[in-house]
Amino acid sequence: KDLLRLMKSDSGPLAIVPGGFEEATLTGAGAERVYLKRRAGFVKYALRNGYDLVPCYTVGEADMFGNIQGAWRFRIWLNQLSVPAVLPFGFRFFPLLPRRVPVTVAVGAPLRLPHIKDPSNADVKKYQEQYLRAIRETYLQ
């Protein structure tokens, strides 16, 4: 949280990837997945500071790297201990480099949020649901 304040101190745009370790863990070639239903801190932060949320989705990013699939509960548990449970492999001869695949970045319309100094859980949930709908719509563009 202090890092977010520091990063935002120049009043320029701020990009946050809210899916975190869990989303990286779920990522696998051939499947588009997000981990956002349990992520609300970024919405609360945006409400407290009066920021807009801009839904963005990178279609094809999951195909850039393979990732071992399965053992979800164990891997999510590791993530909760701040241990990233991913084992990515990309280009055949240099597995830490991404595969060459088509990638499209979709950017939706900004979700205008009010400035609420102390947002309630209901406020956060309301705008989180709006953001989730916006992400879905952006993906389907």
Side-chain angles (χ1 to χ4, degrees):
K1 294 176 187 175
D2 292 333
L3 178 61
L4 287 176
R5 277 190 215 101
L6 176 67
M7 290 170 61
K8 193 58 184 160
S9 65
D10 71 354
S11 74
L14 174 66
I16 298 174
V17 181
F21 284 161
E22 286 79 6
E23 189 166 293
T25 298
L26 296 173
T27 297
E32 300 287 339
R33 297 180 179 139
V34 295
Y35 190 90
L36 291 174
K37 288 183 182 177
R38 294 185 180 182
R39 297 284 192 222
F42 72 102
V43 176
K44 189 173 189 175
Y45 185 84
L47 287 168
R48 280 186 178 159
N49 294 284
Y51 300 145
D52 297 335
L53 293 176
V54 180
C56 301
Y57 194 88
T58 307
V59 180
E61 182 179 18
D63 294 330
M64 294 172 76
F65 288 94
N67 185 24
I68 302 299
Q69 301 294 291
W72 302 118
R73 287 185 182 173
F74 174 69
R75 294 172 68 199
I76 296 295
W77 176 76
L78 285 174
N79 289 335
Q80 291 169 355
L81 299 174
S82 296
V83 176
V86 296
L87 184 58
F89 50 94
F91 188 69
R92 184 182 325 186
F93 301 111
F94 302 100
L96 295 180
L97 295 178
R99 295 180 189 125
R100 289 183 173 190
V101 296
V103 174
T104 303
V105 178
V107 180
L111 180 60
R112 305 283 181 204
L113 300 184
H115 187 181
I116 304 173
K117 191 174 189 176
D118 189 22
S120 67
N121 288 342
D123 292 329
V124 173
K125 183 177 170 95
K126 173 185 172 182
Y127 291 104
Q128 180 191 27
E129 288 171 357
Q130 287 182 19
Y131 181 77
L132 291 174
R133 277 194 300 276
I135 282 286
R136 263 186 230 106
E137 290 169 10
T138 301
Y139 172 75
L140 294 173
Q141 287 181 0

